[in-house]
Amino acid sequence: MLKENLQNLMHDIPAGVRLVAVSKTQPVQTIRAVYDAGQRIFGENKVQELIAKHPQLPKDIEWHFIGHLQRNKVKLIVPVAKLIHGIDSFKLLKEVNKEAGKIARKVNCLLQFHIATEETKFGLDCKEAVTILTSPEYREMKFVNICGVMGMATFTGDQSLIRQEFRHLRSFFLRLKETFFQESPDFKELSMGMSGDYRIAIEEGSTMVRIGTMIFGARE
Ligand SMILES: *Cc1c(COP(=O)(O)O)cnc(C)c1O
């Protein structure tokens, strides 16, 4: 089943879009089966869970941290994550830079934007992002590499609202690219789309979809 789910999904996703298989709550044997079916990028949203699974699985897995990251756990994530999707405050970015500096590793990050109508979701607004990117402190950061933006749409059946939110995220992405990252080829990722809305996200320019349920089935 897992293999079939993955193959169907890969069929549906265009070549320029990368798939992050969201393996939160899944045991390592299940992740291993998806790895054996060819998947190499996995996403987790809990620090302890990622830290526990990481040593038990093949070394060529690219682990992405997709959840809300607390500052006191940054030091655990920095050595293992290939990409941190959820930079949602300046304080967090500073902490990542500090901890990455200690191990002399440049860490790839995405700025998370709040695009949904729900208050509970995390993320920056455009003004906060501009404050970060224009600050002298940011310009001196040597150990973070901002590769793009991430966002989560409202959990709703209203397709036009979802589309509108993804469009907003893409417009933020383009504005930042033009203003701050014209000379930075690494700034190219638009992480948007989950099981319920990845098709809309791809139509709206996603380069990275984060999908759990469609691969692994419903979580407990
Ligand atoms: C759980 C999660 C996903 C995947 O959700 P599915 O609906 O299972 O595809 C994607 N992104 C984030 C940030 C998540 O926490």
Side-chain angles (χ1 to χ4, degrees), residues 51-62:
I51 298 303
K53 288 171 179 175
H54 172 261
Q56 303 180 58
L57 283 154
K59 293 289 162 271
D60 63 339
I61 289 182
E62 201 180 285

Side-chain angles (χ1 to χ4, degrees), residues 22 24 45 66 150 152 194-196 210-213 219:
V22 177
K24 60 190 186 193
N45 72 336
I66 61 169
M150 178 268 208
M152 289 169 86
M194 311 184 4
S195 293
R210 311 174 310 270
I211 296 183
T213 308
R219 287 177 293 273

Side-chain angles (χ1 to χ4, degrees), residues 107-199:
V107 175
N108 298 320
C109 298
L110 302 179
L111 297 176
Q112 181 172 359
F113 281 89
H114 187 273
I115 53 169
T117 54
E118 295 123 328
E119 285 291 329
T120 49
K121 286 184 176 155
F122 293 99
L124 305 161
D125 60 30
C126 222
K127 197 164 150 237
E128 290 168 318
V130 169
T131 302
I132 295 173
L133 297 171
T134 52
S135 73
E137 267 179 294
Y138 167 69
R139 289 200 202 125
E140 296 201 341
M141 287 184 187
K142 291 191 176 68
F143 299 100
V144 291
N145 184 31
I146 298 184
C147 300
V149 305
M150 178 268 208
M152 289 169 86
T154 304
F155 185 71
T156 174
D158 183 349
Q159 311 266 303
S160 70
L161 178 62
I162 295 171
R163 187 177 297 280
Q164 193 184 317
E165 291 172 352
F166 286 151
R167 244 173 229 185
H168 259 123
L169 186 60
R170 181 160 181 275
S171 77
F172 293 155
F173 169 79
L174 292 174
R175 202 185 310 170
L176 296 184
K177 178 81 188 163
E178 193 175 299
T179 316
F180 301 102
F181 295 99
Q182 257 183 18
E183 313 291 317
S184 316
D186 286 356
F187 189 90
K188 59 178 170 32
E189 303 295 353
L190 196 40
S191 168
M192 59 185 195
M194 311 184 4
S195 293
D197 56 20
Y198 75 92
R199 286 209 173 102

